[in-house]
Each structure stands twice: as structure tokens, then as C-alpha cells.
Amino acid sequence: MNRRVESNHGLAYAIHWADKLSLPVLFYEGLTFDYQYANDRMHTFLLEGVTETEKRLKKLGVGYAFYLRRDKGSPNDIFYRLVADAALIVTDDYPTFIAAAHNAAVPGKVTIPYYVVESSCVAPPSLIPDRQYAAYAIRPKINKLMAEHMKPLVMKAPKRKWDRPKPDFHVVVDSVPKLVASCSIDHSVPPSTTFRGGRLAVESHLKLFLESKLRRYANERNSPSSHATSDMSPYLHFGHISGLELALAVQEYADEHKLMSAEYLEELIVRRELAFNFARTSPKLDSLDILHEWVRNTLAKHDGDERPYLYTRDEFEQAETHDALWNATQKEMLLRGKIHGYYRMYWGKKIIEWSESHRDALATMIYLHDRYALDGRDPNTYTNILWCFGLHDRPWTERPIFGMIRYMGLEGMKRKTNVDGYLKEIGYLERTGKDPFTETQAC
Ligand SMILES: Cc1cc2nc3c(=O)[nH]c(=O)nc-3n(C[C@H](O)[C@H](O)[C@H](O)COP(=O)(O)OP(=O)(O)OC[C@H]3O[C@@H](n4cnc5c(N)ncnc54)[C@H](O)[C@@H]3O)c2cc1C
């Protein structure tokens, strides 16, 4: 999950052990064709990061091997071949998607030590082991840990440099489109119109955010047409940057330029790490049964209420509802691979309102994220989808379909945001494939 060289606690820990054992370190990255909804968008983003990772590892003196399992015919035992020649394994501690399944299954199949290291959050999630009720509960706990953990991690080179030839399975990423086309995956989901993967891409997004958006973030983050948010979530998800590095960069830039950083750090640290806490402490993430009792009761009472509009999953997917704003948010997902945070809440709330049942709504939201969102399959994905169903929130006035969970309506969006501006921008993106969120004066 942490596909980077900088600020990587797992890699630092591997180097620490390698020095103790007088061994070199190999950084192994694999990409398979058979995870659910594997498609051109996810493969492209991931492959775009590979060459730069390799370059930076070489500079550090760490070996690199990349394996692309293209189809059923390709070997499926590469990891175990490497393990046969290794003293120990260090990998990422991560609560969702393939990493969580690997970490549950692999240690039982190897005979060497298997360490999992957390490097996604600022406050290590294992230090807050109990499920937290809401942001107000986790905030003071995180704040207590900040003094010790909000410090840069300097990557030290291993004493023994990697000097062996590349393993025979290693794949050189010379042409990303060609490699993607050679994989037996879903080719109907194209790469994002906007986001290129990898360290160089995230460094340039970060620079843009610090220099032209951070000063507006506190006041304009809930106004999609202001383009004041950081667009860091795909890079955080694929580990091209760590939460710690990002938090330090924002804090440092804000201090130096006398800007406000608290609002950004609240989202990046408190809200994001609340999601990691939820993902780590919940037995399932795709079920309404894990919500608090008041939520389950109120949803059960209103699940049978008549819906003003009813759409199938396919109609949602194709952005074919009566609501131009909702359709535009879905198009943002289809084209860019994420939705602006403020409209994403509206997107979720309307799927609840226009689906046959609450369970159908949940399944639709998870499906659309897993298939299209570059920041999907993340602790933030499942936690925030469940937030639409009342998780980490408080009871509101009772109303049809929603019961006492929070409602969001089009009138509120029109009052608080520039809906017409956003519709124009998404229209432009759809027509031209150029992204007005990252271009200046595009429209
Ligand atoms: C229905 C729904 C689904 C969502 N699915 C995802 C998802 O799949 N992946 C994902 O990363 N986020 C998800 N979010 C949360 C939020 O919308 C995104 O994190 C945010 O929009 C990412 O854009 P950004 O990087 O420009 O955010 P910024 O506003 O610039 O925030 C910086 C970072 O802070 C964190 N952050 C921001 N808002 C939240 C939040 N509400 N909760 C937790 N962390 C937050 C993210 O890591 C984000 O990258 C979802 C929200 C909703 C309502």
C-alpha cells in the first residue's frame, strides 16, 4: 500500500533489520489482474508510479523488483519464490482491500518472520485500539500522540547496497498503455482524465496546493468551484505520499507564510484517522448492521417509505437521474475518479433517497467507488459511505426515508455552492477531457 521511498516506516524498518543482519534489502511490488474490478484506471495509476520508485530506491541502495501478473497463465507464486531466499518480510499494516487479506493469510504460509508496519497515518492506529464514537472522541487521543509522532522520518541508506541482478520475473515499465492493454482486465474504465500516478505527480499536485490553494482552504473547501482542496486522496490511497509527510509539508508552509493549517490538518489527520480506526475495529465494512443502534432502528423504521424517484444501479452508474447536479457528481467520478468532498456527501445522500432500499443504496455506493474511484477501497471509502447512513454523526429531525439520519437537498446545495459553475466545469471536462479543476481559466 505504501508505494514510495520517502517517509516509509515499513521500508525504514526493513533497512534497520537488514543492517542488523548484514543483508541487503529488496523492495517488491506486485500487480495482479484478478482483484475485483481490476481495470485500466487502477492499473494505469499504479504503473505510472513504478519507474520513479525504482529510480529512488536505486539511489538509496535498495533493490527493486516489479511483477505484473497479466492473466491466468502467468505464475502466481512470485512472492513465495522471493521468500525462499529471504531472512524476513516487512509489509504494510493496512486495514482494507488486498493488504488486509494478505496479512491475515500469508504469515501462516511462510516460515520466516513477517512484520507489518503502519505508515499511512500520523498517529499509529494501533495506539488507539478501541472503536471511537466520532471525531470529538478521537481528536484528544490523536492530539496527545502528536508530539511524539508528528516528526519527519529520514530514510537512511542500508549499509549493504543491493548488488544482485534483477530477478527473471521483473517487468520493466517502458510503456504504461501497452502493459495495461496486455493485461486481462476490464478495459472499459479508462484512465482518469486528471490524475497521473506516482511520486513526481504527487509532488507537483502538492506544490500547486501549497502555493495556490491552501490559503483558501479554510473558507472555501466546501465550495467545489473554488478549487480549494488538495486532491491528495488518490495519492494517499496508493501510498505515493504519506499522511505524515503531507501534514508536515502543510504545517511548515502555513507557518512560513502565515496561513491557517488547522482546517486542513483536521481533515487529513482527525477525520482520516477516524476512518482508519473504524476500519481496523469493525468486523465488516460493507454492512449497515455494524452501525449504532439508534441508526439501525431509525433506518429500519423508514426503509419501506415511498421514494420520490427510483433508479437502478445501472442508471446511477450512467449518470441518468433527473437531477443535473447529481449527474454531474457521478460524471466527475466517471471521468476524474473522485468527487469533490462536499458534493460527495450529496451524491451519497441522494443514492439513499432514490434506491429501493437502504441496503441497495449501500451496495451501489460501494460498487461505484470500488470500480471508479482512484481513492476507493480505502478506510475512508467505507467509513464515509457509512457516514451517509449516520456513522460518526448525530440524530437529526426525523423525516421520510432517512429517519433521523442527516438529509441533504438540492436547495441547500444551490444556496451554499455555485451549482451552475460546477455544471459548466463538468460539461467542459466531458466535452474536452481537460480538467478545469487543475487548469487555470480553462472555461
Ligand atoms: C460518500 C463518500 C465517499 C467517500 N469516499 C472516499 C474515498 O473513497 N476515499 C477517500 O479518501 N475519501 C473519501 N471520502 C472523503 C472525502 O470526500 C475525500 O477524502 C476528499 O474529498 C478527498 O479530496 P481531497 O484530497 O481534495 O480532500 P481535501 O479536502 O484536500 O482533504 C485532504 C485529505 O484529508 C482527508 N479527508 C478530507 N475529507 C475527509 C473526510 N470527510 N473524512 C476523512 N478524511 C477526509 C483525505 O485524506 C483528503 O485527501 C468520501 C466521502 C463521502 C461523503
Side-chain angles (χ1 to χ4, degrees):
M1 297 309 300
N2 293 315
R3 295 168 186 269
R4 64 174 178 273
V5 182
E6 295 74 10
S7 192
N8 187 331
H9 295 81
L11 178 58
Y13 191 63
I15 292 171
H16 159 82
W17 264 108
D19 285 353
K20 258 177 127 164
L21 300 172
S22 293
L23 287 171
V25 179
L26 179 73
F27 187 115
Y28 169 65
E29 215 176 338
L31 177 59
T32 183
F33 72 99
D34 61 352
Y35 61 90
Q36 197 180 29
Y37 309 125
N39 60 46
D40 285 15
R41 176 168 300 176
M42 307 300 161
H43 262 52
T44 300
F45 192 83
L46 210 140
L47 285 165
E48 282 168 345
V50 165
T51 308
E52 189 61 24
T53 304
E54 178 168 13
K55 217 189 266 175
R56 291 181 187 215
L57 284 167
K58 194 168 178 195
K59 210 165 150 203
L60 194 66
V62 172
Y64 180 74
F66 175 69
Y67 177 56
L68 182 64
R69 184 163 180 249
R70 294 167 210 244
D71 52 34
K72 271 191 185 146
S74 326
N76 195 16
D77 62 347
I78 296 300
F79 173 75
Y80 295 97
R81 284 193 216 169
L82 287 172
V83 167
D85 201 23
L88 59 88
I89 302 158
V90 180
T91 188
D92 299 311
D93 184 3
Y94 195 83
T96 58
F97 194 39
I98 289 175
H102 270 215
N103 291 341
V106 176
K109 297 183 195 167
V110 295
T111 51
I112 55 174
Y114 185 98
Y115 294 103
V116 292
V117 177
E118 202 320 293
S119 191
S120 301
C121 296
V122 177
S126 57
L127 298 183
I128 306 176
D130 302 326
R131 184 165 159 189
Q132 302 296 302
Y133 194 82
Y136 74 80
I138 202 169
R139 192 177 295 110
K141 294 176 182 134
I142 289 179
N143 284 341
K144 251 195 196 163
L145 292 165
M146 291 293 275
E148 192 184 340
H149 294 279
M150 183 85 164
K151 290 178 186 156
L153 172 67
V154 181
M155 300 301 294
K156 281 198 242 151
K159 286 185 193 141
R160 265 194 68 183
K161 304 257 173 276
W162 183 267
D163 56 3
R164 300 184 192 182
K166 289 276 182 209
D168 56 359
F169 61 76
H170 175 75
V171 171
V172 177
V173 179
D174 41 9
S175 161
V176 171
K178 260 194 199 158
L179 285 177
V180 171
S182 73
C183 293
S184 178
I185 56 176
D186 173 5
H187 296 299
S188 69
V189 180
S192 161
T193 49
T194 308
F195 299 107
R196 304 279 70 85
R199 187 69 192 187
L200 295 176
V202 70
E203 285 174 357
S204 89
H205 265 279
L206 178 58
K207 187 167 182 292
L208 177 75
F209 175 65
L210 294 178
E211 291 174 359
S212 69
K213 300 181 178 185
L214 177 59
R215 69 189 65 248
R216 294 182 287 114
Y217 187 85
N219 294 323
E220 297 177 31
R221 66 185 180 284
N222 286 340
S223 161
S225 301
S226 297
H227 308 169
T229 58
S230 68
D231 274 339
M232 281 291 145
S233 55
Y235 301 102
L236 286 164
H237 173 68
F238 281 92
H240 292 151
I241 191 166
S242 75
L244 174 63
E245 272 184 293
L246 181 52
L248 286 167
V250 167
Q251 193 177 54
E252 192 183 316
Y253 190 92
D255 289 351
E256 202 180 313
H257 295 83
K258 308 221 168 349
L259 305 176
M260 290 188 283
S261 61
E263 290 75 7
Y264 190 80
L265 297 178
E266 165 73 13
E267 300 297 339
L268 175 66
I269 304 177
V270 176
R271 303 283 162 168
R272 180 166 178 263
E273 297 186 12
L274 179 63
F276 273 78
N277 170 271
F278 179 72
R280 279 178 72 91
T281 55
S282 300
K284 327 181 240 188
L285 294 169
D286 57 353
S287 165
L288 299 175
D289 301 341
I290 47 180
L291 294 170
H292 286 292
E293 199 179 352
W294 75 264
V295 178
R296 283 186 276 118
N297 289 343
T298 198
L299 287 177
K301 186 171 161 199
H302 290 277
D303 203 14
D305 292 353
E306 195 176 329
R307 271 52 174 176
Y309 300 91
L310 263 186
Y311 296 108
T312 61
R313 178 188 282 191
D314 198 43
E315 286 165 329
F316 282 123
E317 186 167 10
Q318 302 308 320
E320 283 170 355
T321 76
H322 64 284
D323 176 342
L325 174 59
W326 192 91
N327 294 344
T329 62
Q330 173 61 15
K331 283 178 189 169
E332 191 185 343
M333 175 76 109
L334 295 176
L335 296 165
R336 299 180 90 225
K338 72 190 273 285
I339 309 174
H340 184 283
Y342 198 64
Y343 285 159
R344 212 165 187 168
M345 299 189 269
Y346 179 74
W347 175 91
K349 291 288 183 183
K350 290 299 161 193
I351 293 181
I352 296 178
E353 194 174 342
W354 304 331
S355 293
E356 202 163 326
S357 70
H358 295 135
R359 269 173 222 290
D360 283 355
L362 177 68
T364 298
M365 284 190 230
I366 292 178
Y367 163 74
L368 293 175
H369 270 78
D370 285 356
R371 184 149 193 237
Y372 295 101
L374 276 175
D375 57 7
R377 310 163 199 261
D378 192 272
N380 250 346
T381 312
Y382 310 105
T383 307
N384 278 286
I385 287 176
L386 288 169
W387 174 87
C388 295
F389 291 90
L391 176 70
H392 297 150
D393 206 358
R394 64 174 174 85
W396 295 71
T397 311
E398 190 160 4
R399 58 183 300 141
I401 305 167
F402 288 83
M404 287 192 295
I405 67 167
R406 185 194 298 247
Y407 170 80
M408 290 175 87
L410 184 57
E411 286 318 309
M413 294 296 113
K414 285 185 177 162
R415 213 172 43 246
K416 292 178 193 161
T417 67
N418 177 3
V419 169
D420 288 342
Y422 177 75
L423 294 183
K424 246 171 96 178
E425 289 183 324
I426 296 298
Y428 175 83
L429 175 65
E430 205 181 1
R431 281 193 314 279
T432 64
K434 292 185 192 158
D435 190 338
F437 286 73
T438 47
E439 276 189 343
T440 42
Q441 299 182 346
C443 300

